[in-house]
Amino acid sequence: LRRTDKVPLFVEFHVRWLIRQGSASDLQEAAMWVKRLEEKLQPEALGTYELKARLLAARKDLAGARAAIMPRANLKNAPLPTIAKICEDINLFGDAEALWKRFVDENAAARPQVRLALAVFYARRGRTAEALQLCAAARAAAVPLPSGGEVAVLALYNAQTPSPANIKELVGWLEE
């Protein structure tokens, strides 16, 4: 990395690797590189804020992680799905859900299929009933079945024990 320490892409890759390793010394080294990203290489890049949040979460500082990433969601044209997924990855589930809901609220009128993004989040969280409810709403809004069907299948797959009624409902959608 010493030869490429001025290239943000390489630094980001290295920091991600260090955070995944997770030892105290790796996290300490990652902090040094995140500071370099913040101060010199790309101070305003979302990737820098993401890595800072991931580093703080790895250090069990969820309040700090939240403070690092959530202000980015309030910027003009913020990539809400990206930030929501980061929040989900670092166990900020309430913030992730709020961002997914905001994304849906801001985009559903023009693109009804975005409702399925929230359904996928619910499916990953094991919230089957809520995921299927959004799939049903997407079907009512004439979102193409493959998208809604795939999300519904994902929701049932993530359920520990899907109810027979949920399975019957999904089979009915797929047979139409």
Side-chain angles (χ1 to χ4, degrees), residues 11-12 18 24 27 55 75 81-82 95 100 103 112 122 138 140 170 175:
V11 174
E12 283 186 17
L18 290 168
L27 295 178
L55 174 63
L75 298 177
T82 301
D95 293 316
W100 282 119
F103 174 69
Y122 286 148
L170 176 59
E175 289 178 346

Side-chain angles (χ1 to χ4, degrees), residues 4 11-12 31 33 37 44 51 57 62 71 74 90 92 96 98 123 140 146 158:
T4 57
V11 174
E12 283 186 17
W33 288 110
L37 286 167
E44 293 303 314
L51 290 174
L62 291 182
N74 296 321
I90 61 175
L92 296 174
N158 283 316

Side-chain angles (χ1 to χ4, degrees), residues 7-132:
V7 180
L9 178 66
F10 291 117
V11 174
E12 283 186 17
F13 177 83
H14 185 62
V15 170
R16 286 179 197 285
W17 181 80
L18 290 168
I19 291 170
R20 272 190 230 115
Q21 296 309 303
S23 73
S25 62
D26 288 330
L27 295 178
Q28 186 176 356
E29 184 179 347
M32 180 208 51
W33 288 110
V34 167
K35 185 175 180 179
R36 183 174 176 89
L37 286 167
E38 287 179 308
E39 293 176 355
K40 294 182 180 179
L41 296 178
Q42 54 180 23
E44 293 303 314
L46 178 60
T48 300
Y49 289 91
E50 173 191 357
L51 290 174
K52 183 174 185 177
R54 289 183 185 280
L55 174 63
L56 291 166
R59 290 179 161 173
K60 310 294 186 222
D61 180 3
L62 291 182
R66 184 181 192 283
I69 197 67
M70 285 304 291
R72 305 305 291 179
N74 296 321
L75 298 177
K76 184 178 180 177
N77 298 320
L80 296 179
T82 301
I83 298 170
K85 188 66 176 95
I86 293 166
C87 288
E88 186 178 352
D89 289 348
I90 61 175
N91 297 326
L92 296 174
F93 301 118
D95 293 316
E97 181 176 6
L99 290 172
W100 282 119
K101 284 181 176 180
R102 185 173 138 203
F103 174 69
V104 169
D105 291 344
E106 291 176 4
N107 294 283
R111 297 182 357 227
Q113 68 271 24
V114 300
R115 289 185 184 103
L116 297 174
L118 181 58
V120 169
F121 168 76
Y122 286 148
R124 284 192 304 265
R125 301 296 312 134
R127 295 166 62 178
T128 307
E130 292 160 291
L132 292 177

